[in-house]
Amino acid sequence: MKIIVLLKQTPDTEAQIRITSDGKNLDTTGMKYIINPYDEYAIEEALQLKDKDVSTEVILLSYADDSIKERMLKGLAMGADRAIQIKNDELQEVDSLTLSSILVAAIQQENPDIIFCGKQGIDDDNMHVPVMVAELLALPHVNVVNKIEYKEKDLVVSREVEGGQVETFTVSLPCVLGAHKSLNTPRYANLPGIMKAKKKPFEQKNLSDLGLNAIVLQSSVQTTVDSYKLPPKKPEGKIFRDEELQVMVDKLVEHLRTESKVL
Amino acid sequence: MKKVLVFCEQRSGHLKSSAYEAISAAYQTSSDPSQVEVAACILGHKIETLSENLQSKGAKTVFTYDLEVLNNYNPLAYTEALSKIIDEYKPDVLLTIASPMGRDLFARVAARKKAGLLTDLISIHTEGDLLKGGTKPMYAGKVLAQVSYTKNCSLRMATLRPNSFKVLDKKEQGQRVSIKSPLSNITSISFNTLSQSEGTKVDLTEALRIVSGGRALGSRENFKILEDCAKVLGATVGASRAAVDSGYADHSMQVGQTGKTVNPTLYIACGISGAIQHMAGMKTAKTIVAINTDRDAPIFTIADYGIVGDLFEVVPLLTKKLQAIL
């Protein structure tokens, strides 16, 4: 079996997000990057299939600049077999659909049985790519996956929807599955894994290697991010302390009723 | 005249009331609302009665696509059905609410129709009679981004965050269009089941009131204190990542960057210190109440009201007080 895991790097969840003075970009000075947390569940799910059948090949794929190598090495250290970086130096700003079409061009060269990815990037929070990649490949998809049962011919896949409810589908291979947090617990890379990772194939491709052209792709971009701002700061709140509990609770409820009128 | 099509979600024969928010938002997609024609569509099975509600809320035309395969969500069947309605109505703008189904479906339809898609907008911006774009939270709300469509975009699609658009009182005497033409035979994916949630719990992302607990709860059993309070308030119970990682609460209850981003009118944080990733997911709540023993906990910096005290003492008193007045 051949599995592709789509990878993205994002700022660390604990990172403060700062904006450049012109408001047009994020200030990435000193920003710490991680593998998009949901993508780690995708890698783990692929590796669990490899644990069961060693002939399974797990390939990491990303459209990124060269700094992705560190993230790729982590994925390889966890146990993936090889990594492909599609270099984004000719075209950095793409929308989800253009990005998906680039990824699809690389996926089609590999012909995988399953494509795993995180359910969303924790940066733009769009949840577009897993679904769009599937549509462009004319494959079924399930996103926000919290459970997969591997049957003989197909998969029974659960996805989390509102109120903790779960929708279950039967899906045939090949397919695209977007991993949710509750799918598994990602393994840590151990020292032998880290040593081996450096020797594993790390391939860099240009858009032209995929038969793509940056100018044509640019003209397919239909949405852009124009500027950023920080959410408005709230005025200082009323914090009650050092009084009898009942008095503080009464005051709180009174304010909720008369001042903020939420009760 | 600009044509706006609104996808209205039904589950198990119940129309999501947030659909009315999307229909109201549809009238804001041009600077002159009188130049907007709004149509709504519902996919499902035996859904005729649902369309009447939509007509009375501002949709001039209501399309119903009624087939057994559409009874529950199947991404491929829904994509094909909605695409057929798009081909028939030829809208300039396509809207829905950013629910799990709405977000999933719109990403697939955008890829099929080669459309531009903006997701999870909290407001929309116009330029003349054109929908220009909108504002969307990114990094779970750590920043707000101005996003827009490029001039290459023909069909403008957007999903809207629940509780962000006011429902207008608009009435239309419109027509209903019923579609029953068969879809292609889909074999690669089929719907099996939708588990029933306990009771009629409102999802965190759509809840108007949330009572949330952190690691200080100390155990799964102790969440009962919050549930009692939530019951009185008609609220949904949430949890911090620390509480979820400690096994005190299910991941579906997690609020924050790797959980859910919520937007209620009242958020009561109990024993939550306020990690950056947690606050990112809830700070747009209209009124935030923090209950914590540590006056220096970061959660107090974004709280409208706070009580410095032990949640195990404060919350039961609060529940009792609310019981008396609500």
Side-chain angles (χ1 to χ4, degrees):
Chain A
M1 190 185 273
K2 197 189 237 187
I3 302 173
I4 285 190
V5 181
L6 303 179
L7 216 66
K8 178 180 200 175
Q9 58 182 347
T10 61
D12 194 298
T13 50
E14 293 302 319
Q16 288 278 10
I17 304 295
R18 293 180 309 270
I19 300 166
T20 55
S21 51
D22 64 0
K24 295 215 164 115
N25 290 291
L26 296 179
D27 178 3
T28 55
T29 332
M31 184 83 82
K32 189 182 165 227
Y33 286 91
I34 54 172
I35 294 178
N36 174 42
Y38 293 111
D39 296 351
E40 285 205 27
Y41 304 101
I43 297 172
E44 175 61 32
E45 196 61 25
L47 293 178
Q48 289 188 7
L49 287 177
K50 191 177 169 66
D51 291 342
K52 279 181 222 152
D53 175 4
V54 285
S55 72
T56 296
E57 188 185 21
V58 178
I59 307 157
L60 309 175
L61 174 66
S62 188
Y63 181 67
D65 64 33
D66 292 349
S67 68
I68 193 73
K69 186 160 188 185
E70 210 180 310
R71 259 50 71 189
M72 293 288 209
L73 280 173
K74 185 180 174 193
L76 293 170
M78 285 169 75
D81 295 287
R82 59 190 170 97
I84 304 168
Q85 173 202 357
I86 311 165
K87 289 171 76 74
N88 76 345
D89 43 7
E90 287 178 272
L91 181 66
Q92 283 100 37
E93 299 298 323
V94 289
D95 63 5
S96 316
L97 191 50
T98 305
L99 168 62
S100 299
S101 69
I102 296 167
L103 294 169
V104 160
I107 292 167
Q108 281 170 329
Q109 292 187 341
E110 296 288 347
N111 222 4
D113 301 287
I114 305 182
I115 298 146
F116 283 121
C117 49
K119 65 155 181 153
Q120 73 188 74
I122 61 155
D123 44 8
D124 59 29
D125 291 330
N126 273 330
M127 266 189 201
H128 289 171
V129 170
V131 185
M132 289 177 168
V133 163
E135 171 62 24
L136 296 179
L137 289 165
L139 296 179
H141 81 271
V142 182
N143 199 19
V144 200
V145 171
N146 63 5
K147 194 175 168 199
I148 307 171
E149 287 174 71
Y150 299 89
K151 307 276 183 187
E152 207 159 295
K153 273 169 72 185
D154 40 31
L155 313 175
V156 177
V157 183
S158 302
R159 103 183 193 99
E160 193 184 301
V161 290
E162 48 273 87
Q165 286 189 93
V166 172
E167 253 175 351
T168 309
F169 299 90
T170 301
V171 188
S172 62
L173 298 180
C175 61
V176 182
L177 301 174
H180 194 25
K181 189 177 176 175
S182 35
L183 183 59
N184 54 43
T185 309
R187 66 195 65 189
Y188 289 101
N190 57 21
L191 193 60
I194 293 166
M195 300 307 289
K196 263 191 241 164
K198 292 175 187 153
K199 295 189 189 114
K200 287 180 175 173
F202 179 82
E203 197 181 348
Q204 291 183 311
K205 289 189 180 185
N206 292 308
L207 291 173
S208 57
D209 297 328
L210 302 170
L212 298 172
N213 173 299
I215 296 160
V216 176
L217 287 170
Q218 175 73 62
S219 68
S220 74
V221 171
Q222 297 186 73
T223 66
T224 57
V225 179
D226 302 324
S227 63
Y228 298 92
K229 60 179 183 195
L230 293 175
K233 270 220 163 69
K234 284 190 149 185
E236 186 104 346
K238 295 194 171 82
I239 311 299
F240 308 116
R241 62 187 302 189
D242 302 331
E243 289 177 84
E244 223 180 290
L245 285 178
Q246 188 64 57
V247 174
M248 294 196 284
V249 167
D250 289 351
K251 276 188 187 170
L252 169 65
V253 172
E254 185 58 25
H255 279 94
L256 289 176
R257 289 195 99 173
T258 55
E259 199 173 59
S260 65
K261 298 190 171 69
V262 289
L263 291 181
Chain B
M1 227 33 183
K2 286 282 166 186
K3 287 157 83 172
V4 183
L5 178 65
V6 180
F7 169 74
C8 300
E9 175 180 343
Q10 63 83 26
R11 275 197 192 270
S12 314
H14 296 286
L15 187 72
K16 278 213 163 182
S17 58
S18 53
Y20 304 133
E21 295 168 25
I23 291 175
S24 298
Y27 284 98
Q28 299 170 35
T29 56
S30 165
S31 52
D32 181 2
S34 70
Q35 291 302 303
V36 180
E37 184 188 297
V38 177
C41 67
I42 333 172
L43 315 183
H45 190 43
K46 297 179 181 157
I47 46 173
E48 286 297 322
T49 51
L50 299 184
S51 67
E52 287 166 24
N53 303 343
L54 292 170
Q55 276 174 302
S56 67
K57 288 282 183 177
K60 199 166 176 204
T61 310
V62 180
F63 292 93
T64 56
Y65 210 127
D66 196 321
L67 284 177
E68 205 175 339
V69 67
L70 300 174
N71 198 19
N72 287 290
Y73 182 58
N74 176 317
L76 290 182
Y78 267 57
T79 298
E80 192 179 336
L82 183 53
S83 299
K84 283 192 173 177
I85 298 172
I86 294 168
D87 293 342
E88 164 134 1
Y89 186 66
K90 299 189 175 57
D92 302 287
V93 174
L94 185 59
L95 298 180
T96 197
I97 290 295
S99 64
M101 187 198 288
R103 294 180 70 152
D104 201 72
L105 173 64
F106 266 42
R108 188 115 200 170
V109 169
R112 183 161 302 184
K113 305 308 282 183
K114 303 287 178 276
L117 172 60
L118 301 176
T119 286
D120 207 19
L121 301 183
I122 55 171
S123 66
I124 53 184
H125 310 147
T126 55
E127 198 171 58
D129 66 348
L130 215 59
L131 174 62
K132 185 168 172 258
T135 304
K136 89 175 232 87
M138 283 192 184
Y139 298 87
K142 287 177 186 171
V143 288
L144 299 175
Q146 303 294 320
V147 289
S148 63
Y149 302 100
T150 66
K151 60 180 189 327
N152 302 329
C153 182
S154 49
L155 173 58
R156 298 176 178 223
M157 295 178 61
T159 67
L160 312 173
R161 175 170 290 199
N163 302 342
S164 298
F165 293 86
K166 270 213 179 85
V167 176
L168 308 174
D169 191 26
K170 255 194 144 62
K171 290 207 170 21
E172 280 281 348
Q173 274 313 312
Q175 53 168 349
R176 271 193 275 166
V177 180
S178 172
I179 310 173
K180 290 186 177 187
S181 58
L183 300 171
S184 47
N185 186 27
I186 295 158
T187 53
S188 62
I189 180 165
S190 60
F191 171 86
N192 294 352
T193 54
L194 175 66
S195 74
Q196 288 306 311
S197 63
E198 303 146 28
T200 47
K201 228 176 7 177
V202 181
D203 189 53
L204 281 170
T205 56
E206 291 177 36
L208 289 174
R209 292 170 178 176
I210 293 171
V211 181
S212 208
R215 195 180 356 227
L217 264 294
S219 76
R220 193 169 267 267
E221 294 69 46
N222 286 342
F223 263 80
K224 170 120 196 347
I225 301 170
L226 305 190
E227 277 157 23
D228 292 343
C229 184
K231 213 174 192 177
V232 178
L233 280 168
T236 303
V237 177
S240 73
R241 185 165 84 186
V244 171
D245 288 350
S246 305
Y248 306 157
D250 293 335
H251 176 249
S252 65
M253 293 163 67
Q254 186 184 321
V255 173
Q257 200 169 11
T258 52
K260 287 184 172 137
T261 303
V262 300
N263 193 26
T265 54
L266 176 61
Y267 188 93
I268 305 181
C270 308
I272 292 176
S273 62
I276 291 173
Q277 56 81 22
H278 182 79
M279 297 207 284
M282 46 64 77
K283 70 178 168 203
T284 60
K286 186 167 164 271
T287 300
I288 297 169
V289 175
I291 299 166
N292 206 301
T293 48
D294 177 11
R295 174 62 181 95
D296 296 325
I299 192 78
F300 283 120
T301 64
I302 61 158
D304 298 277
Y305 307 106
I307 292 181
V308 182
D310 184 353
L311 77 95
F312 291 103
E313 296 177 293
V314 176
V315 175
L317 280 179
L318 179 62
T319 306
K320 226 168 146 189
K321 175 79 184 172
L322 292 170
Q323 236 159 8
I325 62 155
L326 292 179

